[in-house]
Every structure is written in C-alpha cells, then in structure tokens.
Amino acid sequence: MDKEFKVALSLYIVLLVLSTILLQFLAKIVFLTPAYISGFFPFAFLLLPYILFSSGFFTSLYREKMGGSIVRKILFPAYLVLIYSIFSSLASNFSFELLIKLLVWFFGPCLVYAFGTPPSDEISVKDIMVALMLWLPIEFGKLAGFDIVFNKDITIPALPFAAPAFGLYLFVILRNLPDVGFSFKLKGNDFLMAGLGILMLVPLLIPLGTSMGFIRFATLDLTVWKTLELLLGIYFMVAIPEELLFRGIIQNLLTRSFLGKKGKLVPLTIAAVIFGLSHWNNFNPPDWRYVILASVAGMVYGFVYIRTGKTTASALVHCGVNFLWAVLFKDTSG
C-alpha cells in the first residue's frame, strides 16, 4: 500500500464526512434518516472508485487481478448498472429506457477494449471510438435521469461521479494509458502552477468577456457552507471530469498521435478548441462567445496539465475559474 493510496482513501473518508455536514446545514437532511440513506449510499458507492482510481497501487492491483478475463473486464460496468438499478428502484425513479441506454454506454466501450488493447505508446482507432462513446452520450444529454435522489425536492446528477470513474476504468485500467495524471498526491509546484494559471486567466477572460458583452458582474452573496459546497461541487463534479476527458484523455491521445511528433502546442490547441466547442450548447440559443472564452481557458488548463503532468492540478485552475464565474458573474446568460 503506497502513500498515494493512503491519500486517496483519506480523501474519500473526508469527502463523505464533509458531504454529511453539508447535507445537514444546507439541505436539512439529518444523518441516517431515510432521506440521507436514500441518497448518501449510492453517492458513496459511486464516489469510491472515482477516488481510488487515483492510486497507481490500486489500479495496478485491479489490472493484475482482472487479468485477461473478459468476464472480469465487464464486472465494473455491471457494478455501476447495479447501483443505478437498485437505488433508482428504491427511489421510485427507475426507467427501463434509461437502463438500456446505460447498458449500451457502459458495456459498449468495455467490449471495444476487452478484445485486445492498443499499444500504450500510440493512439489507435479504438481509442478514438472509446473516447467518443464515452463523451457524446453525455454531451447530448442522452443519459439524463441518472440521478441520486435524497427526497422529492433534492436530487443531484450521478453522472459527474459515474462518468469519471468509468472513464478512468476504460483508459487507466483497461487501456493502461500513461500520463492521464489523475493523482491527489499534489506537490507545492502543482499548487504554484495552478495559482499561476488562475492569475493568467483572470486578466484575460474578464476583459475579453465584458468587451464582448457576454459577462456582467453580479452581487456577491455567499455563506461559508455555500462556498464550501460550491468549491467541492465544482472541483469534483465539473473540473475533474472535464479535465480527465479533455486533457488526460483527448490532449494526451493527440500528443501520442502524429500531431505530437513536433511538440505539444498543436495537441494542446486542438484539445482546447474541442473543449471550447463542447460549450456551444451550454446556452439556449448557443453562444459563440462562450466557445471563445472556454477555448482560451482550455489553453491555460492544458498548459498547466503539461507542466505538472496532473489533471488534478489543471482541475484546480478550472475550479478557480468556474468558482469566480459562479460567484461574480452568476447573472450571465446567453
């Protein structure tokens, strides 16, 4: 058991405790009441692999125990489907249509990788297929309804926990892709680069966004608990999932293609533009100004990922930007 695993396990326990406290103070959901049990257990079961897959010791052990068995390779997606089936049935929001979509989403990419994996040092058609199969159903809202239900008034999406765990399973365990950079064993330089990234983006994005008439300042209204909820929610439910996809997987794979033969700038730029385009449909109607701002931000996120080698570090920058957006420009609309 290495230090990285201990860090991951400790973080998991801390997050469970903080979540219990936030549920009490913000949602008035008391520990071990039916509402708490209904939502907290599926949350805990989905969060566990998400956090533990940050440990090289754990992922190596998992890969070793799995071996070449096709049956063992589909046990993890079966685990995720089982969580949805059991807890959605208990919460009375089970959907057979969604179950079918989840079965296709979970098992399809696994089967692509299950029958032979590409070399770890180069991109392949399989990699592109799996990345698209992972991302596109989420991007176009085809898995809506996969939720964690506490009661009829409080529901949170399950995908921000299931998707990164599943993506890590596909690319770190099945694919054994190097340099994904998912580790919570952060060093001083990682925080320094993250801080530098935020300092680079603030004087870029705010003048650019205001000059385009896209963002406008809002009244600051925060409490301590709300601030903590925002930071944890943004970091673990938005920043890390997106950084894993666009930096740890897409930028990483592009760097391993012919595009990365002469340097890292071209893969970084392409990944940043793809990241920007993924924000096209975040407003209704779609707004090209958001695409530009997100692409600029993606360049800096990718830069921090290159300098630190960690998506958890670039996610700190991503979290900082999104937090400032949520606090200072919450009245922005497309």
Side-chain angles (χ1 to χ4, degrees), residues 258-269:
F258 70 94
L259 295 170
K261 297 299 182 183
K262 294 185 178 180
K264 298 180 179 180
L265 180 60
V266 173
L268 184 157
T269 303

Side-chain angles (χ1 to χ4, degrees), residues 8 13 34 45 61 74 90 92 96 131 200-201 206 210 272 285 301 321:
I13 295 170
F45 287 134
L61 182 63
I74 62 173
L90 293 175
S92 301
F96 184 73
M200 291 169 63
L201 281 173
I206 293 179
T210 52
Y301 301 158
V321 170

Side-chain angles (χ1 to χ4, degrees), residues 250-261 263-264 267-268:
I250 293 177
Q251 183 176 325
N252 188 5
L253 288 173
L254 289 172
T255 303
R256 296 176 183 282
S257 72
F258 70 94
L259 295 170
K261 297 299 182 183
K264 298 180 179 180
L268 184 157

Side-chain angles (χ1 to χ4, degrees), residues 55 126 170 200 215 318:
S55 164
K126 282 187 176 183
L170 290 171
M200 291 169 63
I215 60 176
H318 197 146

Side-chain angles (χ1 to χ4, degrees), residues 24-240:
Q24 170 70 59
F25 282 93
L26 294 178
K28 308 303 180 186
I29 295 179
V30 181
F31 180 62
L32 291 184
T33 59
Y36 175 90
I37 294 172
S38 173
F40 189 80
F41 278 90
F43 163 72
F45 287 134
L46 290 173
L47 183 66
L48 182 61
Y50 178 2
I51 301 300
L52 289 187
F53 284 164
S54 68
S55 164
F57 166 80
F58 180 81
T59 55
S60 296
L61 182 63
Y62 194 122
R63 197 181 302 113
E64 178 186 332
K65 296 297 182 183
M66 183 175 59
S69 169
I70 300 297
V71 173
R72 291 182 182 179
K73 288 181 179 180
I74 62 173
L75 286 179
F76 182 66
Y79 166 81
L80 296 174
V81 170
L82 190 63
I83 290 174
Y84 167 73
S85 301
I86 292 175
F87 289 100
S88 64
S89 297
L90 293 175
S92 301
N93 70 328
F94 175 83
S95 165
F96 184 73
E97 179 183 353
L98 178 57
L99 175 62
I100 298 301
K101 291 179 180 178
L102 288 173
L103 286 170
V104 173
W105 184 59
F106 283 131
F107 288 100
C110 282
L111 292 176
V112 172
Y113 273 155
F115 295 99
T117 58
S120 61
D121 59 346
E122 60 184 41
I123 191 174
S124 74
V125 174
K126 282 187 176 183
D127 294 324
I128 297 171
M129 287 176 57
V130 171
L132 291 175
M133 292 168 75
L134 172 68
W135 173 33
L136 293 181
I138 301 173
E139 179 67 21
F140 292 102
K142 299 303 181 182
L143 302 175
F146 186 17
D147 297 321
I148 296 170
V149 180
F150 289 90
N151 56 41
K152 63 182 180 64
D153 299 315
I154 301 175
T155 298
I156 63 173
L159 276 175
F161 305 103
F166 183 48
L168 287 163
Y169 176 73
L170 290 171
F171 285 94
V172 175
I173 293 182
L174 290 185
R175 169 66 166 85
N176 196 15
L177 180 68
D179 303 327
V180 171
F182 185 59
S183 172
F184 291 105
K185 190 180 175 183
L186 297 168
K187 300 178 180 178
N189 182 64
D190 300 321
F191 291 103
L192 181 64
M193 290 304 304
L196 178 61
I198 294 173
L199 289 176
M200 291 169 63
L201 281 173
V202 168
L204 276 174
L205 295 181
I206 293 179
L208 183 59
T210 52
S211 67
M212 291 191 300
F214 182 67
I215 60 176
R216 48 187 174 271
F217 285 92
T219 303
L220 189 63
D221 181 23
L222 277 180
T223 64
V224 172
W225 294 115
K226 188 63 179 176
T227 300
L228 182 59
E229 179 196 32
L230 267 176
L231 287 171
L232 290 175
I234 292 171
Y235 187 65
F236 289 100
M237 297 177 69
V238 179
I240 287 181

